[in-house]
Amino acid sequence: MGGQPLDCHPALTGQVRVQLIAGECVGYSDGAAQVFNSEPGQDRLRAVQRRIFAQNRAAEEVWQRSDRRRPYLTLVYLGTLTGNRTRADEESYVSEREELEGLATAQYALLKESAAADGAALLHVVVANGGRQMRHAGPAVRMLEGLARDDPTVLGVVGLVESRTSTASALRELNRVGLPVLAPTLSADRMDDNSSLYLQISAPNSAQAAMIETYARQVLRVTEAHAYYSTGEDSSLTEDLYVGTLVDGLRERFGTRLTRLDEWRTGRRLTAECGYRGLLLFAGRWSEFDGFLRALKECGADPPRHLVADDSVNRYMANPGLRASAPGNLPVTYVSKASLATCAALRAAQAARDDARGSFLTWVGAADLLDPPRCRDGAGAPVGERVSLAYDAATMVVRAVESLAARLRHADTGRRWEPRSVNPVGVHAEVLRQNAAAGYPGVAGVIRYAPDSGEPVAKRLALLRVARVPDVAAEPVEVFHCGAADSGPDPGCRPT
């Protein structure tokens, strides 16, 4: 899948190292000589890689023109860029494309800085493929180990996309290599056990389970719940740490009120849920949600009253082709890790003179960055759930490097940037140092860490509601949220 030999070749220029493993092109690239995924329907995934590679060349040129005074760093994006079975009209790599868009936006913002801004960093991005469900992350990380050894500008890894045992293994390897990992969307509980250099941007699943239970009790006022889970193709509850820890959290929160907990598989009928008045919860992978909704079509005019889905379903909601065949009389409420970065929320923040979110809105709407530009003219394409989360991850590292550079420069204002003057472990420590006061002001919510944890504290989570799933033009409406938008005490959970 997604990596024929013709599309997998080391380049003579730039930083490219790839190998064909079980039909997938695994490895890394920083230039257009190697773009990952030649499958039909993945044009946008390829386009954002090309955008990043063009901005890599621009960053290098600006750095040389600054007489190498500006801090210059490399972040590696490690994700699943091949392996899914796709239709020609189906975009199957939404998460990866959105995370790459977030990195491209962080790059773009730095390129827009004044030529005289010697303290503003420049960002170079290497794109790496760990294969389907991160199954080839081991070989990919070994290649990245060599890259980090040869290139002192490499200061961290962003991505990893799915919480699986293969991901946990990659984290342990990256920790051994000494590379910090910033994960925009991983949320399986205790992923930080695998690396002392791990920083998670999203709330853990324990917080997601707590929010769903609180919403069921306080807002829906239902006394019981039925939950169905799925783990994706060729996986299991043991291997799928995201689904496994979410199911554990739901069991703990609902206790005896969770009166049904079953695995859902394609083809299973759900007529027993027709007219169900409790909470019907989909706690599985997005890849099975389409089939789950199709099964509920059998309910006709008597659908279940309260369908809630986990945050994996964001991938489904971002796919208009899949949503077209969903039942139109079954509202869906689903978890969002980035409700503060929807077009409507960003416009409101910009109107309130919120500089961080206002600037982000300006960048994602720029005519020469994302295709299509986001949030234009009161309508336009939505931002996407993961764009702001990856942007926050990258920007947090960039600010740490700028802070270290300012201290190094204090004694010598005209000095050139020497990449070896900082190292990945020192940058991780600086991120935590900057975080210690009020937390990092992320676009998708303030990011705070306890001293001994890589999981964020009181990170914003929300529930979004879509009245008619086939109506892709209607923006989802936030109905409930937990955690903090900005610095200050944790406001807890409340209806929006």
Side-chain angles (χ1 to χ4, degrees), residues 71-75 121-125 153-155 397-398 401 417:
Y72 182 88
L73 70 144
T74 296
L75 289 175
L122 289 160
L123 177 59
H124 172 253
V125 176
T153 70
V154 176
L155 295 178
V397 178
V398 166
V401 171
W417 174 247

Side-chain angles (χ1 to χ4, degrees), residues 203 207-208 211-212 215 308-311 314 333-342 385 444 459-465 477-484 492-496:
Q208 185 167 168
M211 177 177 70
I212 291 168
Y215 176 71
V308 173
D310 61 26
D311 74 279
N314 273 291
T333 303
Y334 62 98
V335 176
S336 169
K337 294 169 174 171
S339 63
L340 293 167
T342 62
E385 173 79 4
K459 184 68 201 289
R460 182 69 161 233
L461 274 175
L463 284 165
L464 304 183
R465 181 178 171 85
V477 176
E478 185 179 306
V479 293
F480 197 74
H481 65 262
C482 303
C493 298
R494 61 191 66 189
T496 303

Side-chain angles (χ1 to χ4, degrees), residues 12-243:
L12 299 175
T13 58
Q15 292 177 317
V16 179
R17 189 168 170 209
V18 289
Q19 66 184 95
L20 198 68
I21 305 177
E24 294 188 72
C25 191
V26 174
Y28 64 80
S29 171
D30 79 336
Q34 174 65 58
V35 175
F36 293 101
N37 201 313
S38 60
E39 291 286 306
Q42 312 317 315
D43 302 347
R44 294 178 72 187
L45 179 67
R46 292 190 289 272
V48 69
Q49 290 178 71
R50 291 191 182 99
R51 164 58 53 191
I52 283 171
F53 297 152
Q55 291 184 165
N56 280 344
R57 293 197 304 276
E60 169 76 21
E61 288 167 12
V62 171
W63 190 50
Q64 298 294 355
R65 280 207 306 276
S66 78
D67 197 27
R68 300 192 175 192
R69 284 197 170 98
R70 287 177 67 169
Y72 182 88
L73 70 144
T74 296
L75 289 175
V76 176
Y77 176 78
L78 176 58
T80 292
L81 300 173
T82 56
N84 294 336
R85 288 183 299 161
T86 59
R87 296 194 316 265
D89 63 344
E90 178 188 355
E91 189 190 3
S92 186
Y93 299 84
V94 172
S95 299
E96 296 77 9
R97 188 255 302 158
E98 288 181 356
E99 289 184 1
L100 286 167
E101 287 176 340
L103 287 171
T105 304
Q107 256 190 319
Y108 182 87
L110 293 165
L111 285 167
K112 291 296 178 186
E113 292 278 1
S114 161
D118 284 352
L122 289 160
L123 177 59
H124 172 253
V125 176
V126 170
V127 178
N129 180 29
R132 182 162 187 252
Q133 295 181 350
M134 296 297 289
R135 287 178 185 169
H136 306 305
V141 170
R142 285 191 287 279
M143 292 184 222
L144 293 173
E145 180 178 8
L147 174 66
R149 193 170 51 239
D150 296 340
D151 182 353
T153 70
V154 176
L155 295 178
V157 173
V158 174
L160 279 79
V161 187
E162 292 189 344
S163 306
R164 298 184 182 274
T165 49
S166 54
T167 314
S169 173
L171 280 175
R172 291 192 292 273
E173 279 295 288
L174 288 162
N175 188 61
R176 178 186 63 76
V177 173
L179 281 175
V181 173
L182 293 97
T185 59
L186 295 191
S187 60
D189 296 323
R190 300 172 301 281
M191 286 300 278
D192 58 340
D193 288 351
N194 297 288
S195 170
S196 59
L197 299 173
Y198 174 75
L199 295 170
Q200 191 168 292
I201 305 300
S202 295
N205 277 350
S206 55
Q208 185 167 168
M211 177 177 70
I212 291 168
E213 189 278 330
T214 306
Y215 176 71
R217 183 166 33 85
Q218 291 186 359
V219 177
L220 301 181
R221 302 194 181 280
V222 297
T223 54
E224 66 165 59
H226 291 172
Y228 292 85
Y229 65 87
S230 70
T231 55
E233 204 173 339
D234 303 324
S235 188
S236 68
L237 209 52
T238 309
E239 292 171 323
D240 193 330
L241 302 176
Y242 167 78
V243 175

